[in-house]
Amino acid sequence: MFELICLQNYTNTNIDLAKTYFKNAIIVINKFHYIRHAMWAVEAVRKRIQKELSVKLKKYFKKSKKLILKRSNLLDEDSKLALQVMFSYNSDLAIAHTLKEKLLKITETASSSKEAHVLLNEWIKLAQNSGLKEFERCANTYIRYFNEIVNSFDIPYTNACTEGFNNKIKVIKRNVFGFKNFDRFRNRILHCCN
């Protein structure tokens, strides 16, 4: 009998513990967590480029954060033009955006771990040869946890929605510097997450 272990906080220690105490377990890293690494890499590229620009362009790049992270097929024509303007300032941003889109396409189209194994290997090679140190770090993380990431393609579940709500609750708490009354905190969460 095989057990399934989905790791939310994946570290070598957690994986080693799972392998030691659950010998027949299939270890899976949730899609939300490894996709997040690619998003962080895109953000790091945007921030690096933004530092080299004039004050006016820095503000434009900062305001366009969501534009870069949003899926290309969900952008309207004006947004696509704005994205092309951003790419014209530095080709690294275009490369980062393309790598992100390719990874998201793999997560949508790969139907099994065998197919994902091939596609993800190709993506890792692209990321390593991109010349972007942010994506080279991301690729190294993917190599380190490759089997656990590939296993996620056999499991349709992802906890991205739960992670999003957790993040929203943390932001609410941080913005008000904590709540003294639990009922007010609960009501605020229900109101904001509705």
Side-chain angles (χ1 to χ4, degrees):
M1 182 171 152
F2 285 99
E3 301 160 14
L4 178 68
I5 297 178
C6 259
L7 294 177
Q8 303 306 322
N9 184 8
Y10 56 96
T11 62
N12 286 333
T13 308
N14 290 349
I15 291 173
D16 290 342
L17 282 171
K19 287 178 180 175
T20 302
Y21 293 107
F22 304 101
K23 300 216 185 285
N24 296 329
I26 298 170
I27 300 172
V28 176
I29 292 178
N30 196 301
K31 288 181 182 177
F32 169 81
H33 291 282
Y34 64 82
I35 289 172
R36 184 172 62 171
H37 276 280
M39 296 299 186
W40 285 343
V42 172
E43 263 301 281
V45 170
R46 180 190 65 81
K47 287 177 181 176
R48 177 174 50 84
I49 293 167
Q50 181 179 312
K51 288 178 184 175
E52 302 166 358
L53 300 173
S54 67
V55 175
K56 189 175 181 181
L57 285 172
K58 279 183 185 181
K59 288 180 183 178
Y60 178 75
F61 268 62
K62 189 171 183 176
K63 288 180 183 178
S64 301
K65 172 184 174 179
K66 290 182 182 177
L67 187 66
I68 295 166
L69 297 178
K70 194 170 183 178
R71 295 294 311 265
S72 290
N73 57 347
L74 300 177
L75 294 173
D76 59 8
E77 290 303 315
D78 291 338
S79 298
K80 287 179 182 177
L81 286 172
L83 203 56
Q84 291 303 319
V85 168
M86 291 177 75
F87 295 160
S88 69
Y89 284 101
N90 195 310
S91 62
D92 286 356
L93 196 58
I95 294 167
H97 187 266
T98 303
L99 285 168
K100 175 206 61 143
E101 288 295 319
K102 285 185 180 188
L103 178 67
L104 292 174
K105 183 124 179 140
I106 290 169
T107 61
E108 288 176 355
T109 58
S111 57
S112 69
S113 58
K114 289 179 182 176
E115 189 179 344
H117 190 280
V118 173
L119 294 172
L120 200 57
N121 262 329
E122 291 173 5
W123 186 88
I124 288 171
K125 287 177 186 162
L126 282 173
Q128 287 176 324
N129 298 327
S130 67
L132 302 174
K133 64 180 188 297
E134 298 87 356
F135 273 93
E136 289 170 11
R137 279 195 301 266
C138 182
N140 290 337
T141 301
Y142 283 22
I143 290 168
R144 194 174 317 120
Y145 301 105
F146 188 78
N147 292 329
E148 292 81 7
I149 290 171
V150 168
N151 287 341
S152 73
F153 286 87
D154 289 333
I155 309 299
Y157 170 79
T158 179
N159 71 338
C161 187
T162 305
E163 293 283 349
F165 278 115
N166 286 344
N167 185 48
K168 194 177 276 191
I169 290 167
K170 287 177 186 177
V171 169
I172 291 168
K173 204 164 87 174
R174 193 174 7 189
N175 284 341
V176 297
F177 304 105
F179 279 90
K180 290 182 181 179
N181 185 326
F182 177 76
D183 291 329
R184 284 189 178 163
F185 182 45
R186 181 181 170 277
N187 289 339
R188 180 66 182 227
I189 291 168
L190 292 173
H191 175 73
C192 290
C193 295
N194 204 0

